[in-house]
Amino acid sequence: MPSIENWILNPLDVINRMFESRESDTEWKQKVDEFFARKLQDEKLNSLVPSMNNEALHNLPPNTLMKFRCMIQDSYEPEYFLDTYQLVDKSTGDKKTGSSRYKDVIDRPGYDVIMESKDNETGCRQVVYCVAVPGENQWVKQVYVKPQTELKTTKTNEGNPIIPVNYYEDFAVLLAPNFPKQSEPQHPPPQTAHNDYLSTPKQPPQITPTSYPPPGNEQTSQNVEKHHPIPGEDGPVCIVKVYDETMELKVNETYEFTGVFSVDPIFSTPFDPMDCNGVDEDHMMELKSRSPPSSLVPRLHVVSMKPLKHINPLLPATIPKKISEDFTQSARYLRDDLIEFLKRLTFGDEIVAQSLLFHLLSRVYTRTGTMAVGKLTLNITGIPPNSSYPKLFADVIANLVTKTHYLPMTLDNMNKLKFTPKKDYQKNKLEPGFLQLSGGTHLVIDETQLHPGSLDPMGVKNVQALSSLMTSQKVDYDFQFYATPFYHDVNCVVLSEAKSMLPCDLQVKLTPDTPVATNLEEYFARLPPSDEMLNKLRVYLTLGWMGDYDMEPSVMKQIENDFVASRSSDNEKMSADDLHRLLVVARLQSASLGKSKLELSDWSVVKQFDETRKEKMK
């Protein structure tokens, strides 16, 4: 059996031995798949495989096994290659068979390839362009790189550390409900009247809206586009090659690919047009775009892959039944603690805290026609301009969930940023747009930054794209001659002074119930709970967001009766849209308690919540 050093540090050697000892063309390929699948199913062994996300590219040795946690940004046409080929020894004339599977080039010193051999076989592999997950928060990166103190570190027989990125035996502790309540800060900041927390201070702090680079993609020193959807992000990118032709790979989905890391010297320099005499200019542009230097955009030949339903490093990729059971028992207590934390974030406003909880747990769980069922876009009003609160709010949310981005809705951003991806037919590539985000991303939109002025045609198009995302979780990608709808699952919360210009499912006004700090930065610096509590809340939000949902026919019948009775007494009291919103909130109320089925008690709580919310809006 190959040692750890062999199959991780030299996977091609393991693959070549299987090829040399093959009994048939299909049998050896299946053996390769089974070998690496078996190795990588062992979490301790899996944790030994280096990740492109954690190291600078120049520190990663070529032709070793490597992982990449990423989102598919673009898909290319299938790539054809010599799966098997005949070789002839230059000195002896002896012939043998080789394979270029899991390789970019054929490199056999002392041999010539017999290109016209009838024994040569052509293979096909899928090719996708992948980027580090857009909006991935810093705490996620840190836990993947260096797990928190709760994670156990074990050692192999050779003494090498194995640091798993998942909780297993510790889940009972992680989800334990009997943790101490978080105490209030011992030295609270100075207090003022209730509404002063959002007013412009006498000497307002310098709030600089997030500034983005000029429209376009990140350029490296060799002028190579890296195609990150969010301007300013500069995580690793990779051209990933998948040998399973039956696998359906979709743009915007997240995966963890494991494969042979290739930075072959033949791709180490920028594309040289002089190498393509006789190629027309349009095709040359495509070749240049598709052949970036491997030192900047490496290749990964996949031996194993798994779709990622979430990227929370505190949880295993596939949630075991035991964890779900622990969550069901502990969710009620964790919910109470999260509500208390969100109340501090919203200065004691329980209705806004509850609305925010529902929003954080929402996701599109089904689609009916153009309707994205399950989404809950939130509009928090009462936020005046020139306040640092929206950015501080976004930072808190980023510390709770795995993927976020803060968007100051300035005229400059709206007019200059490219929100929708666009197909470049010269390069035959999909140019990224700001809204090309993976499922489960939280977008915090600061509408208080929108000052009087005019939107140019690009700005109007961007607002329309944002509105479409919030209404139907759909963005029309620009393919120049036509628009192609791409469906998303992005949670959007808008912070605004009055009712937002963007369409939102739930609107609530922030009205502090407790005196708050004059210095918001100081207040928010003291806001985070302990690391242990923070991890509990992060796990709670991920498990609640992923939970299944069902409704008993008897409960549905009671809801229908309530709707009919409400319409009979007052035709304007509850519309069909109101009922849909309440059904979504009722599902989220159940999810927040760790339940998969709606109970009548939850429906009653939701009706009371909505009545209180409407009273606040008057």
Side-chain angles (χ1 to χ4, degrees):
M1 178 179 293
S3 67
I4 290 176
E5 288 76 11
N6 281 347
W7 69 272
I8 292 180
L9 297 181
N10 196 0
L12 288 177
D13 184 53
V14 176
I15 293 169
N16 287 337
R17 288 205 302 269
M18 292 184 182
F19 175 76
E20 295 293 341
S21 62
R22 70 193 183 283
E23 295 179 1
S24 69
D25 288 335
T26 57
E27 171 260 350
W28 80 272
K29 298 172 186 176
Q30 186 176 349
K31 278 188 175 180
V32 170
D33 293 341
E34 291 174 350
F35 173 82
F36 285 103
R38 186 171 63 253
K39 292 290 186 183
L40 296 170
Q41 282 173 359
D42 185 322
E43 290 297 329
K44 291 183 178 180
L45 294 178
N46 195 330
S47 67
L48 293 175
V49 180
S51 173
M52 285 177 55
N53 303 85
N54 302 344
E55 293 284 347
L57 288 181
H58 62 267
N59 291 332
L60 300 176
N63 297 324
T64 58
L65 203 64
M66 202 70 60
K67 291 187 292 192
F68 187 32
R69 185 177 66 258
C70 57
M71 183 191 83
I72 298 176
Q73 189 273 322
D74 193 10
S75 60
Y76 296 167
E77 289 83 6
E79 183 177 276
Y80 294 92
F81 67 102
L82 276 179
D83 200 341
T84 57
Y85 53 86
Q86 285 284 304
L87 293 164
V88 59
D89 191 307
K90 292 180 180 180
S91 58
T92 66
D94 293 339
K95 294 181 180 180
K96 62 183 299 185
T97 304
S99 175
S100 61
R101 202 173 181 85
Y102 307 109
K103 302 173 186 175
D104 282 312
V105 296
I106 298 174
D107 184 18
R108 300 295 292 267
Y111 287 87
D112 283 331
V113 179
I114 307 175
M115 299 300 298
E116 66 278 6
S117 172
K118 60 181 178 59
D119 294 326
N120 292 353
E121 293 185 4
T122 301
C124 181
R125 51 197 176 198
Q126 299 188 66
V127 184
V128 289
Y129 187 93
C130 297
V131 299
V133 180
E136 185 178 80
N137 287 318
Q138 193 60 34
W139 72 266
V140 176
K141 295 182 175 71
Q142 290 173 348
V143 176
Y144 272 119
V145 173
K146 184 178 181 181
Q148 302 293 328
T149 55
E150 294 94 337
L151 295 177
K152 294 182 178 179
T153 301
T154 57
K155 293 187 176 181
T156 63
N157 293 334
E158 295 81 5
N160 299 319
I162 295 178
I163 307 177
V165 295
N166 310 104
Y167 286 96
Y168 289 99
E169 299 172 6
D170 297 332
F171 266 110
V173 177
L174 181 68
L175 295 173
N178 57 340
F179 44 77
K181 294 284 184 179
Q182 297 296 304
S183 58
E184 294 295 326
Q186 295 181 355
H187 304 287
Q191 306 295 309
T192 62
H194 286 197
N195 292 323
D196 288 347
Y197 74 106
L198 293 175
S199 301
T200 305
K202 293 180 181 178
Q203 295 182 340
Q206 295 297 316
I207 306 303
T208 304
T210 301
S211 60
Y212 297 106
N217 300 298
E218 291 75 6
Q219 304 289 322
T220 68
S221 58
Q222 298 185 12
N223 199 34
V224 174
E225 298 173 346
K226 296 188 74 174
H227 292 271
H228 288 283
I230 297 178
E233 289 197 347
D234 193 29
V237 298
C238 186
I239 294 176
V240 176
K241 303 187 178 185
V242 178
Y243 290 82
D244 184 352
E245 298 177 52
T246 64
M247 182 65 65
E248 185 178 6
L249 301 174
K250 295 183 179 179
V251 169
N252 303 334
E253 290 189 345
T254 53
Y255 287 86
E256 182 181 75
F257 293 108
T258 304
V260 180
F261 180 71
S262 175
V263 285
D264 199 281
I266 197 172
F267 298 121
S268 63
T269 57
F271 177 83
D272 187 356
M274 298 301 294
D275 295 335
C276 296
N277 292 329
V279 177
D280 64 83
E281 185 175 346
D282 287 344
H283 189 48
M284 193 177 297
M285 286 286 291
E286 178 180 345
L287 290 174
K288 181 178 179 180
S289 176
R290 295 288 185 90
S291 305
S294 58
S295 57
L296 300 171
V297 185
R299 280 63 167 166
L300 191 70
H301 294 263
V302 174
V303 297
S304 179
M305 58 182 286
K306 59 182 177 184
L308 297 177
K309 294 183 179 179
H310 70 87
I311 59 166
N312 189 332
L314 305 174
L315 287 165
T318 303
I319 308 299
K321 183 178 179 181
K322 179 65 168 63
I323 295 176
S324 299
E325 292 172 350
D326 290 342
F327 173 69
T328 301
Q329 297 172 4
S330 307
R332 184 182 302 273
Y333 306 98
L334 292 169
R335 180 192 194 278
D336 291 343
D337 283 277
L338 181 55
I339 285 291
E340 288 302 313
F341 175 66
L342 295 178
K343 282 172 66 177
R344 296 203 297 276
L345 172 63
T346 58
F347 308 108
D349 192 326
E350 186 165 2
I351 293 298
V352 176
Q354 288 179 337
S355 301
L356 188 55
L357 170 63
F358 295 146
H359 165 75
L360 293 174
L361 293 175
S362 64
R363 66 177 174 89
V364 178
Y365 62 90
T366 188
R367 288 185 178 272
T368 304
T370 59
M371 181 181 293
V373 182
K375 75 177 182 68
L376 188 72
T377 53
L378 179 62
N379 178 206
I380 302 176
T381 65
I383 319 290
N386 303 318
S387 169
S388 59
Y389 181 77
K391 181 62 171 71
L392 295 169
F393 173 95
D395 291 342
V396 171
I397 301 303
N399 214 16
L400 289 172
V401 297
T402 56
K403 295 176 284 186
T404 62
H405 189 66
Y406 167 68
L407 172 63
M409 203 171 168
T410 63
L411 280 173
D412 196 54
N413 283 340
M414 300 308 293
N415 287 333
K416 293 183 178 180
L417 288 180
K418 184 174 65 176
F419 276 37
T420 58
K422 182 178 180 179
K423 182 74 172 183
D424 186 327
Y425 283 98
Q426 266 197 318
K427 299 177 181 178
N428 198 15
K429 292 191 71 173
L430 182 66
E431 303 286 351
F434 178 80
L435 295 182
Q436 191 178 4
L437 302 171
S438 61
T441 304
H442 293 258
L443 187 59
V444 180
I445 304 168
D446 183 2
E447 198 175 299
T448 67
Q449 298 285 345
L450 186 60
H451 300 302
S454 299
L455 291 172
D456 61 20
M458 173 65 81
V460 172
K461 184 178 179 180
N462 285 338
V463 171
Q464 290 173 343
L466 196 55
S467 298
S468 175
L469 175 70
M470 298 174 70
T471 302
S472 58
Q473 288 294 310
K474 174 179 72 74
V475 178
D476 289 328
Y477 289 17
D478 183 1
F479 279 69
Q480 295 188 29
F481 309 108
Y482 56 93
T484 300
F486 280 74
Y487 295 99
H488 291 262
D489 186 7
V490 177
N491 286 19
C492 301
V493 56
V494 184
L495 281 70
S496 59
E497 184 177 6
K499 184 178 180 180
S500 173
M501 64 180 286
L502 299 168
C504 294
D505 300 313
L506 194 66
Q507 181 186 354
V508 62
K509 184 176 181 180
L510 181 55
T511 309
D513 292 336
T514 60
V516 295
T518 303
N519 189 325
L520 286 178
E521 285 75 10
E522 182 181 344
Y523 176 82
F524 273 81
R526 301 184 182 193
L527 191 64
S530 67
D531 290 342
E532 179 185 3
M533 171 62 74
L534 206 50
N535 282 339
K536 291 175 184 287
L537 298 183
R538 290 163 174 168
V539 168
Y540 165 82
L541 285 172
T542 299
L543 292 176
W545 174 75
M546 294 179 64
D548 295 325
Y549 178 72
D550 196 8
M551 185 185 299
E552 296 287 352
S554 58
V555 176
M556 190 66 223
K557 183 64 176 177
Q558 181 61 49
I559 292 174
E560 291 174 358
N561 293 338
D562 283 354
F563 177 66
V564 171
S566 178
R567 296 278 289 180
S568 299
S569 60
D570 185 352
N571 196 40
E572 297 182 357
K573 187 174 181 179
M574 183 181 289
S575 65
D577 289 339
D578 291 332
L579 176 62
H580 173 72
R581 184 185 65 252
L582 286 179
L583 287 172
V584 170
V585 175
R587 172 191 175 273
L588 298 170
Q589 167 67 13
S590 296
S592 72
L593 295 171
K595 297 186 291 188
S596 60
K597 292 187 177 181
L598 178 66
E599 299 176 0
L600 281 177
S601 58
D602 299 321
W603 177 246
S604 300
V605 169
V606 166
K607 288 195 298 182
Q608 182 59 49
F609 159 81
D610 203 51
E611 289 176 6
T612 306
R613 181 189 66 84
K614 288 179 178 179
E615 284 295 320
K616 281 191 56 155
M617 297 302 298
K618 291 181 180 179

